[in-house]
Amino acid sequence: MSARSWKYIGISQMVFLALYGQNSVWAADMRRPEAASLRAKTAHAQKHAPVVKSASETISVVGSGSTRQMQSVSRRDMQNLVPGTTPLKAVGNLPGVQFSSSDPLGIDLWSQSFYMHGFTSDQLGFTVDGIPLGGQGYESYNGVPVNRTISNENIIRTDVSQGAGSLDTPSTSNLGGTVRFYSDDPLDRMGGRISQTFGSYDAFRTFVRFDSGKLNPSGTKFYVSYDRRAEDKWLGGDSQFQQMVNTKLVQPIGNHTTFKTYFDWSQEAAASYLDNSLQMLKTVGYDSDYYYPDYAAALNAANGIYPTKYQNLSDPKNAAYYRGIETSTYYVGGMSLDSELTQHLESRTTFYGIGKRYDAWWTSPYVSSPSGAPLAAQDQAMSTRRLGFQTDLLYHLRKQTFDAGFWYENSVYNPSMQYYNEPDSPDGTPYDEVAHRGTPFMIGYGEAFNTNTYVFHLQDTYKVLPSLTLHAGFRTMVVNAADRVTNNDFRYTGLTQIASGSLTAEAAALPQFSGNWKFAPHNEFYFDISKNMQAYPQGGYNTSTPWGAQTQADFNTLKKNLRPETDWVYEIGYRLQTKYVQGLINLYHTDFSNRQQSISVGPLVTAHSLFQNVGDVDMNGVDGSVTIVPVRHFSIYNSISYNSSKFENNLTSGGVTYQLKGKQEPNYAKLMYKNSLSYSVGDFNLHFDTLFMGKRYLSYVNDTRVPAYWLENFGMGYSFRNISIAKTLKFDFNIYNITNERYVSNMGSGGNPLSGDYNSLQVGAPRSFYGTISASF
């Protein structure tokens, strides 16, 4: 299959949500013991919650009742996005959340980043139906991206805890908050959905779903969906493709037990966008990309003959390569059994299995092929297998809800660096990364990690008074990871022996204490204090050494001195929820210890990006949001976020001391502003959204940065009812980046330098148009 035949859909739109659906009331999270009385009281809370109605009949719920800063994104919010857009983009509208991507849909993982209160996606906790997804970053050792796990149309809501996550979240990386996605159940009646999207750059996305309805008196029902998307890149000559299958079965067992099983399969071939440096953007401009499909130009560049536009750069060889593309296959499966054992006791158990094969391709001009060509196809390959389960017991006693649970997982992670032959002729046929049928002429390194995770939690939610709720608990965590070498080529590593061994991250008790006080109708205060720990990340980008140790002696020393990253998170906030105004003010402070950062040195495809301890970090921030409904059918949403995250130590690396103390952490904007105007009446809806992203630092010492930018988007839709056999027939139209702003979207894709410039910047997508026709039956 040719690379051009593997394409993504090019849908784009940065939608900023003005209102949140009634289905996303905080109490609807049936897995949080904070809900106290679970189903009955949840239904009561939803029924009697204050409502801010627009024509779309949605409400803005700012986490009312929760003892932490929690907000929800409902299915109706997701429907404002162009179909196929990564669900993380919808979460990106919340205050304190920063989502960036060069791909309008957020499909290309290399050009995507997600931050929440300064924490990267690999420092947060993500789940789908209780299945732990691990880190969401590019080539995350244990991660499954949510947009490879579930289609937007199958998500019923997303619950976001922005300060500290729930103790029962199965994650060993959530130094910060958590993002929990929930799939909807199959419909009770047989039916189906179909959606077709067209857009700029030959975007083409199809989604179909069939619901069986109840098949028998016991209530057995299922659905199966297929999602296919393809598009040309908006810059350069390559393309992107993804296809995905989701299926879910629900089987009630009697009146008090429900069995559910979920399965996902996805396959991708997503060409990446070129990484730029500040010098490239200033000298060459914003329209550079890989040489693909011009192999002759890439061969010339590897021989030192560069295009005119690159000749004045300090490192023209590192400016562009022949191609950058990722190919991957994911399998995610899980089954759960929820049961009311007695009137007061409930049990919830989830078993899951995850498998993935991921290949990150670049054509490297720093390694020669056996053919004599001064370049080679480089594959940073990885495979992962994860098996685990989590079980919880919840006991309800008058005003208290006790929750005790245990999570276990075994994972096997196998990274390697492989090289494949390229022709030494401009007329030759380059290696086909998508078909991938060759044999590597060199395996630079190969490793096998085996990790066992044990986490126990115990917590209690106590409704002291009708207006006062307190929550307290702790987690016990033990994560043991062992590494062994499977391949080592001296030509790549320069070492006769690669370091190997094992590390254990453990904490006897990670406490959490929080509370909520409703001191007046529609008004409440909340607070949260928690300690968190992250297990050791298993290696950095392009490195053949575990945990950053260059030699076995280095690793032995590292093992004695290295400590896992921990933090204390403190937050306090105020919520207001009335018929016409909903508001939130949240202040937070975080003390980091042993902060691990990804520091990159060298050309992009050969850079060693290692996790290095940069000492302590002091973070302070404030979020604010307000939704106003001045007149019927019209709503105005505004949010603003400020974050100061500063290093408290200088750093010595390679014999050079870098003045980090007092400097802002890179990549995350200190200031963000988001606005959405929404008008909806009957079956018609319209929204206009604005984002301001403040300046962001590229280097750790803050001597390089990217400028701030504004981004505007527009969307409108109309639904017809009962048209022939269709229950609904809907038409949507969206414009992304209305003003055609040129800006840097993602940064730090390959890591960040301690000082100076680096090829780690992604250019944002230009103005794009998309239309969708969808129907339900």
Side-chain angles (χ1 to χ4, degrees), residues 308-332:
T308 303
K309 64 180 181 179
Y310 294 146
Q311 290 177 359
N312 293 327
L313 297 177
S314 59
D315 188 4
K317 190 174 186 178
N318 192 39
Y321 314 121
Y322 173 62
R323 195 182 195 190
I325 187 171
E326 60 162 290
T327 59
S328 59
T329 302
Y330 293 88
Y331 302 89
V332 179

PDB file of all heavy atoms in Angstrom, residues 308-332:
ATOM      1  N   THR A 308      18.383  26.395  -1.578  1.00  0.00           N
ATOM      2  CA  THR A 308      18.837  27.770  -1.351  1.00  0.00           C
ATOM      3  C   THR A 308      18.326  28.339  -0.034  1.00  0.00           C
ATOM      4  O   THR A 308      19.068  29.012   0.697  1.00  0.00           O
ATOM      5  CB  THR A 308      18.381  28.668  -2.514  1.00  0.00           C
ATOM      6  OG1 THR A 308      18.885  28.146  -3.745  1.00  0.00           O
ATOM      7  CG2 THR A 308      18.864  30.092  -2.315  1.00  0.00           C
ATOM      8  N   LYS A 309      17.071  28.056   0.297  1.00  0.00           N
ATOM      9  CA  LYS A 309      16.482  28.674   1.498  1.00  0.00           C
ATOM     10  C   LYS A 309      17.135  28.188   2.786  1.00  0.00           C
ATOM     11  O   LYS A 309      17.007  28.838   3.821  1.00  0.00           O
ATOM     12  CB  LYS A 309      14.974  28.413   1.538  1.00  0.00           C
ATOM     13  CG  LYS A 309      14.579  26.953   1.667  1.00  0.00           C
ATOM     14  CD  LYS A 309      13.056  26.823   1.695  1.00  0.00           C
ATOM     15  CE  LYS A 309      12.608  25.374   1.849  1.00  0.00           C
ATOM     16  NZ  LYS A 309      11.125  25.275   1.897  1.00  0.00           N
ATOM     17  N   TYR A 310      17.827  27.037   2.748  1.00  0.00           N
ATOM     18  CA  TYR A 310      18.461  26.508   3.949  1.00  0.00           C
ATOM     19  C   TYR A 310      19.950  26.854   4.057  1.00  0.00           C
ATOM     20  O   TYR A 310      20.570  26.601   5.090  1.00  0.00           O
ATOM     21  CB  TYR A 310      18.325  24.984   4.005  1.00  0.00           C
ATOM     22  CG  TYR A 310      16.903  24.486   4.161  1.00  0.00           C
ATOM     23  CD1 TYR A 310      16.499  23.300   3.562  1.00  0.00           C
ATOM     24  CD2 TYR A 310      15.969  25.187   4.920  1.00  0.00           C
ATOM     25  CE1 TYR A 310      15.199  22.823   3.706  1.00  0.00           C
ATOM     26  CE2 TYR A 310      14.672  24.730   5.061  1.00  0.00           C
ATOM     27  CZ  TYR A 310      14.295  23.543   4.457  1.00  0.00           C
ATOM     28  OH  TYR A 310      13.011  23.079   4.595  1.00  0.00           O
ATOM     29  N   GLN A 311      20.530  27.408   3.024  1.00  0.00           N
ATOM     30  CA  GLN A 311      21.984  27.558   2.982  1.00  0.00           C
ATOM     31  C   GLN A 311      22.533  28.530   4.013  1.00  0.00           C
ATOM     32  O   GLN A 311      23.690  28.416   4.424  1.00  0.00           O
ATOM     33  CB  GLN A 311      22.414  27.976   1.570  1.00  0.00           C
ATOM     34  CG  GLN A 311      22.252  26.857   0.547  1.00  0.00           C
ATOM     35  CD  GLN A 311      22.617  27.304  -0.860  1.00  0.00           C
ATOM     36  OE1 GLN A 311      22.982  28.462  -1.087  1.00  0.00           O
ATOM     37  NE2 GLN A 311      22.525  26.386  -1.823  1.00  0.00           N
ATOM     38  N   ASN A 312      21.704  29.487   4.446  1.00  0.00           N
ATOM     39  CA  ASN A 312      22.184  30.474   5.414  1.00  0.00           C
ATOM     40  C   ASN A 312      21.942  30.066   6.870  1.00  0.00           C
ATOM     41  O   ASN A 312      22.224  30.832   7.783  1.00  0.00           O
ATOM     42  CB  ASN A 312      21.511  31.830   5.151  1.00  0.00           C
ATOM     43  CG  ASN A 312      21.952  32.439   3.835  1.00  0.00           C
ATOM     44  OD1 ASN A 312      23.097  32.262   3.411  1.00  0.00           O
ATOM     45  ND2 ASN A 312      21.040  33.140   3.175  1.00  0.00           N
ATOM     46  N   LEU A 313      21.415  28.858   7.063  1.00  0.00           N
ATOM     47  CA  LEU A 313      21.180  28.389   8.418  1.00  0.00           C
ATOM     48  C   LEU A 313      22.472  27.892   9.053  1.00  0.00           C
ATOM     49  O   LEU A 313      23.387  27.447   8.353  1.00  0.00           O
ATOM     50  CB  LEU A 313      20.143  27.257   8.421  1.00  0.00           C
ATOM     51  CG  LEU A 313      18.743  27.613   7.928  1.00  0.00           C
ATOM     52  CD1 LEU A 313      17.853  26.371   7.914  1.00  0.00           C
ATOM     53  CD2 LEU A 313      18.105  28.699   8.808  1.00  0.00           C
ATOM     54  N   SER A 314      22.542  27.941  10.366  1.00  0.00           N
ATOM     55  CA  SER A 314      23.746  27.474  11.058  1.00  0.00           C
ATOM     56  C   SER A 314      23.919  25.962  10.945  1.00  0.00           C
ATOM     57  O   SER A 314      25.032  25.455  11.004  1.00  0.00           O
ATOM     58  CB  SER A 314      23.679  27.886  12.535  1.00  0.00           C
ATOM     59  OG  SER A 314      22.531  27.340  13.151  1.00  0.00           O
ATOM     60  N   ASP A 315      22.823  25.226  10.753  1.00  0.00           N
ATOM     61  CA  ASP A 315      22.886  23.769  10.622  1.00  0.00           C
ATOM     62  C   ASP A 315      21.888  23.312   9.570  1.00  0.00           C
ATOM     63  O   ASP A 315      20.842  22.742   9.872  1.00  0.00           O
ATOM     64  CB  ASP A 315      22.587  23.105  11.965  1.00  0.00           C
ATOM     65  CG  ASP A 315      22.838  21.596  11.931  1.00  0.00           C
ATOM     66  OD1 ASP A 315      23.302  21.089  10.897  1.00  0.00           O
ATOM     67  OD2 ASP A 315      22.555  20.928  12.939  1.00  0.00           O
ATOM     68  N   PRO A 316      22.195  23.556   8.269  1.00  0.00           N
ATOM     69  CA  PRO A 316      21.233  23.203   7.213  1.00  0.00           C
ATOM     70  C   PRO A 316      20.968  21.705   7.117  1.00  0.00           C
ATOM     71  O   PRO A 316      19.901  21.291   6.651  1.00  0.00           O
ATOM     72  CB  PRO A 316      21.898  23.742   5.937  1.00  0.00           C
ATOM     73  CG  PRO A 316      23.353  23.820   6.264  1.00  0.00           C
ATOM     74  CD  PRO A 316      23.411  24.166   7.721  1.00  0.00           C
ATOM     75  N   LYS A 317      21.908  20.883   7.534  1.00  0.00           N
ATOM     76  CA  LYS A 317      21.707  19.429   7.467  1.00  0.00           C
ATOM     77  C   LYS A 317      20.574  18.983   8.382  1.00  0.00           C
ATOM     78  O   LYS A 317      19.831  18.042   8.078  1.00  0.00           O
ATOM     79  CB  LYS A 317      23.006  18.715   7.862  1.00  0.00           C
ATOM     80  CG  LYS A 317      23.004  17.215   7.615  1.00  0.00           C
ATOM     81  CD  LYS A 317      24.379  16.633   7.901  1.00  0.00           C
ATOM     82  CE  LYS A 317      24.449  15.163   7.528  1.00  0.00           C
ATOM     83  NZ  LYS A 317      25.814  14.606   7.755  1.00  0.00           N
ATOM     84  N   ASN A 318      20.428  19.683   9.495  1.00  0.00           N
ATOM     85  CA  ASN A 318      19.402  19.326  10.473  1.00  0.00           C
ATOM     86  C   ASN A 318      18.083  20.043  10.212  1.00  0.00           C
ATOM     87  O   ASN A 318      17.113  19.839  10.943  1.00  0.00           O
ATOM     88  CB  ASN A 318      19.899  19.664  11.885  1.00  0.00           C
ATOM     89  CG  ASN A 318      19.028  19.079  12.971  1.00  0.00           C
ATOM     90  OD1 ASN A 318      18.550  17.948  12.857  1.00  0.00           O
ATOM     91  ND2 ASN A 318      18.812  19.840  14.025  1.00  0.00           N
ATOM     92  N   ALA A 319      18.038  20.872   9.157  1.00  0.00           N
ATOM     93  CA  ALA A 319      16.835  21.666   8.901  1.00  0.00           C
ATOM     94  C   ALA A 319      15.675  20.797   8.438  1.00  0.00           C
ATOM     95  O   ALA A 319      14.530  21.017   8.832  1.00  0.00           O
ATOM     96  CB  ALA A 319      17.133  22.743   7.854  1.00  0.00           C
ATOM     97  N   ALA A 320      15.942  19.815   7.581  1.00  0.00           N
ATOM     98  CA  ALA A 320      14.869  18.980   7.033  1.00  0.00           C
ATOM     99  C   ALA A 320      15.423  17.620   6.660  1.00  0.00           C
ATOM    100  O   ALA A 320      16.606  17.478   6.336  1.00  0.00           O
ATOM    101  CB  ALA A 320      14.229  19.641   5.819  1.00  0.00           C
ATOM    102  N   TYR A 321      14.556  16.623   6.696  1.00  0.00           N
ATOM    103  CA  TYR A 321      14.892  15.261   6.304  1.00  0.00           C
ATOM    104  C   TYR A 321      13.937  14.824   5.199  1.00  0.00           C
ATOM    105  O   TYR A 321      12.993  15.532   4.849  1.00  0.00           O
ATOM    106  CB  TYR A 321      14.795  14.308   7.498  1.00  0.00           C
ATOM    107  CG  TYR A 321      15.450  14.829   8.746  1.00  0.00           C
ATOM    108  CD1 TYR A 321      14.727  15.012   9.926  1.00  0.00           C
ATOM    109  CD2 TYR A 321      16.809  15.170   8.757  1.00  0.00           C
ATOM    110  CE1 TYR A 321      15.329  15.496  11.076  1.00  0.00           C
ATOM    111  CE2 TYR A 321      17.414  15.656   9.899  1.00  0.00           C
ATOM    112  CZ  TYR A 321      16.668  15.826  11.050  1.00  0.00           C
ATOM    113  OH  TYR A 321      17.268  16.313  12.180  1.00  0.00           O
ATOM    114  N   TYR A 322      14.177  13.632   4.689  1.00  0.00           N
ATOM    115  CA  TYR A 322      13.325  13.155   3.602  1.00  0.00           C
ATOM    116  C   TYR A 322      11.885  12.962   4.073  1.00  0.00           C
ATOM    117  O   TYR A 322      10.939  13.398   3.421  1.00  0.00           O
ATOM    118  CB  TYR A 322      13.875  11.845   3.027  1.00  0.00           C
ATOM    119  CG  TYR A 322      12.945  11.203   2.015  1.00  0.00           C
ATOM    120  CD1 TYR A 322      12.622  11.866   0.830  1.00  0.00           C
ATOM    121  CD2 TYR A 322      12.387   9.953   2.259  1.00  0.00           C
ATOM    122  CE1 TYR A 322      11.773  11.297  -0.096  1.00  0.00           C
ATOM    123  CE2 TYR A 322      11.529   9.363   1.336  1.00  0.00           C
ATOM    124  CZ  TYR A 322      11.222  10.034   0.162  1.00  0.00           C
ATOM    125  OH  TYR A 322      10.368   9.463  -0.745  1.00  0.00           O
ATOM    126  N   ARG A 323      11.714  12.310   5.217  1.00  0.00           N
ATOM    127  CA  ARG A 323      10.349  12.008   5.656  1.00  0.00           C
ATOM    128  C   ARG A 323      10.302  11.774   7.165  1.00  0.00           C
ATOM    129  O   ARG A 323      11.252  11.301   7.768  1.00  0.00           O
ATOM    130  CB  ARG A 323       9.833  10.748   4.944  1.00  0.00           C
ATOM    131  CG  ARG A 323       8.327  10.546   5.034  1.00  0.00           C
ATOM    132  CD  ARG A 323       7.897   9.252   4.356  1.00  0.00           C
ATOM    133  NE  ARG A 323       6.466   9.228   4.123  1.00  0.00           N
ATOM    134  CZ  ARG A 323       5.785   8.167   3.718  1.00  0.00           C
ATOM    135  NH1 ARG A 323       6.415   7.019   3.484  1.00  0.00           N
ATOM    136  NH2 ARG A 323       4.484   8.226   3.544  1.00  0.00           N
ATOM    137  N   GLY A 324       9.158  12.099   7.755  1.00  0.00           N
ATOM    138  CA  GLY A 324       8.860  11.758   9.139  1.00  0.00           C
ATOM    139  C   GLY A 324       7.439  11.236   9.200  1.00  0.00           C
ATOM    140  O   GLY A 324       6.503  11.915   8.765  1.00  0.00           O
ATOM    141  N   ILE A 325       7.244  10.027   9.722  1.00  0.00           N
ATOM    142  CA  ILE A 325       5.911   9.415   9.736  1.00  0.00           C
ATOM    143  C   ILE A 325       5.836   8.406  10.872  1.00  0.00           C
ATOM    144  O   ILE A 325       6.839   7.795  11.255  1.00  0.00           O
ATOM    145  CB  ILE A 325       5.606   8.735   8.372  1.00  0.00           C
ATOM    146  CG1 ILE A 325       4.160   8.250   8.299  1.00  0.00           C
ATOM    147  CG2 ILE A 325       6.573   7.595   8.095  1.00  0.00           C
ATOM    148  CD1 ILE A 325       3.736   7.775   6.921  1.00  0.00           C
ATOM    149  N   GLU A 326       4.674   8.264  11.442  1.00  0.00           N
ATOM    150  CA  GLU A 326       4.437   7.246  12.465  1.00  0.00           C
ATOM    151  C   GLU A 326       3.445   6.222  11.928  1.00  0.00           C
ATOM    152  O   GLU A 326       2.470   6.562  11.256  1.00  0.00           O
ATOM    153  CB  GLU A 326       3.874   7.861  13.749  1.00  0.00           C
ATOM    154  CG  GLU A 326       2.550   8.581  13.554  1.00  0.00           C
ATOM    155  CD  GLU A 326       1.785   8.817  14.841  1.00  0.00           C
ATOM    156  OE1 GLU A 326       1.286   7.828  15.418  1.00  0.00           O
ATOM    157  OE2 GLU A 326       1.679   9.987  15.241  1.00  0.00           O
ATOM    158  N   THR A 327       3.693   4.960  12.193  1.00  0.00           N
ATOM    159  CA  THR A 327       2.747   3.894  11.897  1.00  0.00           C
ATOM    160  C   THR A 327       2.495   3.135  13.193  1.00  0.00           C
ATOM    161  O   THR A 327       3.414   2.918  13.984  1.00  0.00           O
ATOM    162  CB  THR A 327       3.280   2.942  10.816  1.00  0.00           C
ATOM    163  OG1 THR A 327       4.515   2.356  11.260  1.00  0.00           O
ATOM    164  CG2 THR A 327       3.536   3.693   9.514  1.00  0.00           C
ATOM    165  N   SER A 328       1.268   2.727  13.420  1.00  0.00           N
ATOM    166  CA  SER A 328       0.958   2.093  14.692  1.00  0.00           C
ATOM    167  C   SER A 328      -0.299   1.251  14.606  1.00  0.00           C
ATOM    168  O   SER A 328      -1.155   1.451  13.744  1.00  0.00           O
ATOM    169  CB  SER A 328       0.779   3.153  15.794  1.00  0.00           C
ATOM    170  OG  SER A 328      -0.257   4.054  15.447  1.00  0.00           O
ATOM    171  N   THR A 329      -0.405   0.312  15.517  1.00  0.00           N
ATOM    172  CA  THR A 329      -1.601  -0.503  15.705  1.00  0.00           C
ATOM    173  C   THR A 329      -1.823  -0.657  17.201  1.00  0.00           C
ATOM    174  O   THR A 329      -0.887  -0.951  17.951  1.00  0.00           O
ATOM    175  CB  THR A 329      -1.440  -1.891  15.059  1.00  0.00           C
ATOM    176  OG1 THR A 329      -1.157  -1.744  13.659  1.00  0.00           O
ATOM    177  CG2 THR A 329      -2.714  -2.709  15.233  1.00  0.00           C
ATOM    178  N   TYR A 330      -3.064  -0.447  17.634  1.00  0.00           N
ATOM    179  CA  TYR A 330      -3.411  -0.533  19.046  1.00  0.00           C
ATOM    180  C   TYR A 330      -4.566  -1.511  19.243  1.00  0.00           C
ATOM    181  O   TYR A 330      -5.485  -1.595  18.421  1.00  0.00           O
ATOM    182  CB  TYR A 330      -3.851   0.833  19.593  1.00  0.00           C
ATOM    183  CG  TYR A 330      -2.772   1.874  19.649  1.00  0.00           C
ATOM    184  CD1 TYR A 330      -2.518   2.688  18.551  1.00  0.00           C
ATOM    185  CD2 TYR A 330      -2.018   2.063  20.794  1.00  0.00           C
ATOM    186  CE1 TYR A 330      -1.529   3.662  18.597  1.00  0.00           C
ATOM    187  CE2 TYR A 330      -1.031   3.034  20.864  1.00  0.00           C
ATOM    188  CZ  TYR A 330      -0.795   3.821  19.756  1.00  0.00           C
ATOM    189  OH  TYR A 330       0.187   4.787  19.796  1.00  0.00           O
ATOM    190  N   TYR A 331      -4.520  -2.213  20.376  1.00  0.00           N
ATOM    191  CA  TYR A 331      -5.618  -3.065  20.826  1.00  0.00           C
ATOM    192  C   TYR A 331      -5.904  -2.699  22.291  1.00  0.00           C
ATOM    193  O   TYR A 331      -4.998  -2.708  23.126  1.00  0.00           O
ATOM    194  CB  TYR A 331      -5.258  -4.543  20.749  1.00  0.00           C
ATOM    195  CG  TYR A 331      -4.867  -5.033  19.373  1.00  0.00           C
ATOM    196  CD1 TYR A 331      -3.545  -4.975  18.946  1.00  0.00           C
ATOM    197  CD2 TYR A 331      -5.823  -5.554  18.502  1.00  0.00           C
ATOM    198  CE1 TYR A 331      -3.170  -5.424  17.697  1.00  0.00           C
ATOM    199  CE2 TYR A 331      -5.462  -6.013  17.242  1.00  0.00           C
ATOM    200  CZ  TYR A 331      -4.133  -5.946  16.841  1.00  0.00           C
ATOM    201  OH  TYR A 331      -3.775  -6.393  15.599  1.00  0.00           O
ATOM    202  N   VAL A 332      -7.145  -2.383  22.589  1.00  0.00           N
ATOM    203  CA  VAL A 332      -7.542  -2.050  23.962  1.00  0.00           C
ATOM    204  C   VAL A 332      -8.817  -2.818  24.273  1.00  0.00           C
ATOM    205  O   VAL A 332      -9.816  -2.684  23.561  1.00  0.00           O
ATOM    206  CB  VAL A 332      -7.789  -0.543  24.147  1.00  0.00           C
ATOM    207  CG1 VAL A 332      -8.213  -0.242  25.581  1.00  0.00           C
ATOM    208  CG2 VAL A 332      -6.545   0.259  23.776  1.00  0.00           C
TER     209      VAL A 332
END
